[in-house]
Amino acid sequence: MRNVGQRAVPFSLAACVGVVLMLSGCTTAAPTPRPTLSVSLTPTATPTPTPTGPALMPNGSATQNLPYFTSIVDAVASGPQAAQGRAYIDALTAGGFDKSAMEVTQDLTTVGNQADSIQFSVTWKGECLVGQVGPSVPGPQARVLPLVPEGTCLVGQTRPIDW
């Protein structure tokens, strides 16, 4: 033992050799390689979007097709051609309804003023899908109504759909 100041510090050659041997085991070794992750991406089919909202039901009744008819009427009524009967006929035709089964009233009165309302219809399996829009109507309307005795949907004079 050696005296350092007031206390005795043990010193031994064996202890020193042991410390050196322990520390020699703490050397830095080359890092072990880590495994790499390999991802294989296989293309998959693009999912087909599910249509939202109503759709035309060719085999359905007029009542079953009313939501689809209404959605088309509402879309046209909210656009810039809301007061034009042709816009409704064109949109209904584009939506899959048969143009030859349609009727529409005049957009203008006999003196050239905008009509208070416009009516349009589609004959569907013995019934009528009827729409009405215009300043005298509290928003776009759509209904299923029976055919009138003459076999048409609208009463009175309608305009020819010749476009």
Side-chain angles (χ1 to χ4, degrees), residues 1 4 6 34 45 57-58 70 73 113 116 141-142 157:
M1 283 202 198
V4 178
Q6 297 291 4
R34 292 188 175 172
M57 299 173 64
T70 301
V73 171
N113 295 327
D116 286 335
Q141 304 292 310
Q157 186 175 354

Side-chain angles (χ1 to χ4, degrees), residues 23-139:
L23 290 176
S24 69
C26 293
T27 61
T28 57
T32 22
R34 292 188 175 172
T36 57
L37 179 60
S38 172
V39 177
S40 173
L41 298 176
T42 356
T44 59
T46 305
T48 306
T50 305
T52 57
L56 182 65
M57 299 173 64
N59 296 322
S61 66
T63 300
Q64 290 172 316
N65 280 292
L66 181 61
Y68 182 59
F69 179 85
T70 301
S71 71
I72 294 172
V73 171
D74 289 345
V76 176
S78 66
Q81 298 177 321
Q84 299 174 12
R86 180 177 179 156
Y88 294 93
I89 300 302
D90 291 346
L92 290 165
T93 302
F97 289 100
D98 180 9
K99 187 189 261 186
S100 68
M102 296 183 196
E103 298 172 76
V104 64
T105 60
Q106 298 290 334
D107 298 347
L108 302 173
T109 65
T110 54
V111 292
N113 295 327
Q114 182 65 44
D116 286 335
S117 70
I118 303 166
Q119 293 84 36
F120 42 89
S121 66
V122 178
T123 303
W124 190 272
K125 297 190 178 188
E127 293 185 288
C128 301
L129 291 159
V130 179
Q132 183 177 13
V133 295
S136 68
V137 181

